[in-house]
Amino acid sequence: MEKSELEIQERVVEVLKTVYDPEIPVNIYDLGLIYRIELSEEGTSLSVDMTLTAPNCPAADFIVEDVRQRLQTIAEMKRVEVNLVFEPEWNKEMMSQEAKMELGFM
């Protein structure tokens, strides 16, 4: 039985929530670093736009590669593309309520 697009999208979010910036104790999804998740119609190709908390983040390559590798573990994925973008510029208002609480912004 094939998984629905919604089930795959939910799995993508679950996987993204396992990726952390090494300097921040909150996952990249709740930090608001994921701008776009696009699944192909057949559900086997994934494109993700993400940013970083700072353009000069020393862990940039590590984080992007970690995201790509983890998303490729989803059984349905034949192709994963992770695009690093800086528009719009990230700010703390993009974080989830949980992330703001965890980091003491509330």
Side-chain angles (χ1 to χ4, degrees):
M1 182 180 151
E2 289 189 24
K3 289 185 179 178
S4 72
E5 183 175 339
L6 181 60
E7 289 173 312
I8 296 171
Q9 288 269 13
E10 288 172 352
R11 179 70 182 124
V12 167
V13 170
E14 283 176 27
V15 169
L16 290 170
K17 286 185 173 189
T18 69
V19 179
Y20 287 77
D21 180 318
E23 298 177 352
I24 304 172
V26 175
N27 70 71
I28 63 169
Y29 189 83
D30 286 332
L31 278 173
L33 300 181
I34 304 300
Y35 286 172
R36 183 183 65 87
I37 299 169
E38 188 173 307
L39 190 61
S40 65
E41 284 187 31
E42 59 279 354
T44 60
S45 182
L46 182 65
S47 180
V48 174
D49 287 353
M50 66 170 291
T51 195
L52 302 168
T53 56
N56 58 352
C57 174
D61 291 341
F62 169 79
I63 295 169
V64 171
E65 185 61 15
D66 194 22
V67 169
R68 191 183 62 72
Q69 287 181 0
R70 289 180 192 235
L71 290 173
Q72 284 182 322
T73 66
I74 298 171
E76 293 78 15
M77 289 306 114
K78 290 185 172 63
R79 189 177 77 79
V80 174
E81 179 181 294
V82 180
N83 306 300
L84 191 57
V85 298
F86 294 101
E87 294 287 327
E89 186 175 330
W90 179 86
N91 67 69
K92 66 182 179 186
E93 296 308 312
M94 296 173 169
M95 292 190 287
S96 68
Q97 296 299 325
E98 295 83 6
K100 288 177 185 175
M101 288 176 61
E102 176 78 24
L103 297 173
F105 291 122
M106 291 185 71

